[in-house]
Amino acid sequence: MGNRVSREDFEWVYTDQPHATRRQEILAKYPEIKSLMKPDSNLIWIVIMMVLTQFVAFYLVKDLDWKWVLFWAYAFGSCINHSMTLAIHEVSHNSAFGHCKAMWNRWFGIFANLPIGVPYSVSFKRYHMDHHRYLGGDGIDVDIPTDFEGWFFCTTFRKFIWVILQPLFYAFRPLFINPKPISYLEIINTVIQITFDIVIYYVLGVKSLVYMLAASLLGLGLHPISGHFIAEHYMFLKGHETYSYYGPLNLLTFNVGYHNEHHDFPNIPGKSLPLQRAEYVVYIIYGERERK
């Protein structure tokens, strides 16, 4: 538990990320993939149902003992809230209403943000676009841990603590790595969210409020669904910094496991990524054969 890791620095590369080049190559061979670049109207109804489900949960937990409040926050609420953050991820790519109605997506993201308890949607959109444009870029991509995180969380036990506190690092890391001026939409997001939290407190009580916040903290920390945070861009194989997962948890995460596919084509909604993967596999198999 106390053994230190053997690495003492990040893996530094000085070439462009591969996704933009691969996107051009795939589209040149399979232009029909563009037909998948359209909004997913089902996302709207799924998000509405998830928000309403959490509203019902807020009511049901208001009179429970504290142990059951925390139990249901981890067993149920955490799954909903984690899934909701990935719905917001989809909305940040304008997958709900399309690029022609960008502001509709921003307002819908603020609505989806409500059961999470912390204003998140608008800021996530701003930083996530940088993540796609400058994947792994030092001082730009805030998904990359800081030098302090890499230096301090260097043993098994400390890494365990880091996983538990991951949502806090994810929230505060942008303020240290790449701070940006506060936008008016972020102010609106914050005001609406705080107002909603106050309403929950006065109408349903402190237990409902704690359930909401605990569900987000627990669901984004030491939780099975949170494995994708590490798996997506952990360098398991030298030279490859994006990985995909094709297992059943994609059913709860809007197919975020199809991460190579998502970075290659961020304009394709999660629902359609399995279809895009079929073309991707063909490209990998036959493209490599042609190179040889």
Side-chain angles (χ1 to χ4, degrees):
M1 292 287 284
N3 291 339
R4 296 179 65 89
V5 296
S6 58
R7 296 193 59 135
E8 295 183 354
D9 196 4
F10 295 100
E11 182 78 16
W12 293 90
V13 295
Y14 301 94
T15 56
D16 290 336
Q17 58 153 312
H19 298 288
T21 301
R22 192 158 59 212
R23 182 185 312 125
Q24 294 173 354
E25 293 177 353
I26 295 175
L27 284 176
K29 286 180 174 291
Y30 306 102
E32 59 270 21
I33 287 180
K34 291 182 179 179
S35 66
L36 301 176
M37 299 178 185
K38 56 186 178 182
D40 175 16
S41 59
N42 291 330
L43 176 64
I44 300 170
W45 302 110
I46 293 172
V47 168
I48 291 173
M49 289 304 300
M50 290 169 64
V51 171
L52 294 178
T53 298
Q54 278 295 65
F55 286 0
V56 172
F58 295 161
Y59 176 80
L60 293 177
V61 303
K62 68 184 182 68
D63 295 320
L64 295 180
D65 290 338
W66 279 109
K67 63 181 179 181
W68 290 112
V69 171
L70 296 178
F71 170 81
W72 287 114
Y74 188 82
F76 179 76
S78 61
C79 299
I80 297 292
N81 279 12
H82 191 123
S83 183
M84 189 64 77
T85 65
L86 295 169
I88 289 173
H89 167 256
E90 287 286 291
V91 175
S92 75
H93 287 283
N94 296 331
S95 294
F97 297 99
H99 296 290
C100 62
K101 297 180 179 178
M103 281 304 299
W104 288 34
N105 288 282
R106 302 293 78 74
W107 289 113
F108 191 62
I110 291 173
F111 168 74
N113 197 149
L114 293 177
I116 294 176
V118 178
Y120 162 81
S121 176
V122 176
S123 297
F124 174 79
K125 158 74 174 177
R126 298 181 72 193
Y127 284 102
H128 187 64
M129 295 303 102
D130 287 345
H131 172 65
H132 277 275
R133 293 189 190 101
Y134 312 106
L135 179 63
D138 184 37
I140 303 177
D141 185 359
V142 297
D143 278 20
I144 304 299
T146 62
D147 289 334
F148 169 79
E149 292 171 73
W151 168 78
F152 184 78
F153 295 98
C154 58
T155 67
T156 302
F157 177 73
R158 291 183 187 181
K159 286 180 180 291
F160 173 74
I161 298 300
W162 182 86
V163 170
I164 294 175
L165 300 178
Q166 205 277 147
L168 300 181
F169 287 111
Y170 197 80
F172 290 107
R173 191 184 296 138
L175 302 179
F176 295 94
I177 294 181
N178 187 19
K180 297 184 177 185
I182 298 175
S183 69
Y184 80 95
L185 274 179
E186 286 176 303
I187 295 174
I188 293 173
N189 191 180
T190 301
V191 170
I192 290 176
Q193 188 63 58
I194 292 177
T195 301
F196 176 78
D197 294 349
I198 292 173
V199 170
I200 291 294
Y201 175 76
Y202 278 102
V203 174
L204 297 176
V206 67
K207 290 182 178 178
S208 295
L209 182 63
V210 170
Y211 165 86
M212 174 171 58
L213 297 174
S216 297
L217 182 64
L218 296 172
L220 297 170
L222 189 64
H223 194 282
I225 302 179
S226 292
H228 74 88
F229 285 128
I230 298 174
E232 288 167 356
H233 297 294
Y234 189 96
M235 188 172 287
F236 296 98
L237 181 64
K238 187 176 179 62
H240 297 269
E241 58 179 315
T242 306
Y243 291 84
S244 291
Y245 159 79
Y246 303 115
L249 287 179
N250 281 306
L251 296 174
L252 300 175
T253 59
F254 297 91
N255 286 329
V256 76
Y258 289 76
H259 218 64
N260 265 303
E261 294 81 354
H262 172 61
H263 272 269
D264 284 350
F265 294 96
N267 290 332
I268 296 179
K271 180 189 73 172
S272 300
L273 288 178
L275 299 175
Q276 187 263 317
R277 185 201 173 204
E279 301 288 356
Y280 178 82
V281 170
V282 170
Y283 162 77
I284 292 296
I285 294 176
Y286 292 100
E288 290 298 325
R289 286 180 181 175
E290 287 180 9
R291 288 190 182 95
K292 293 179 181 178

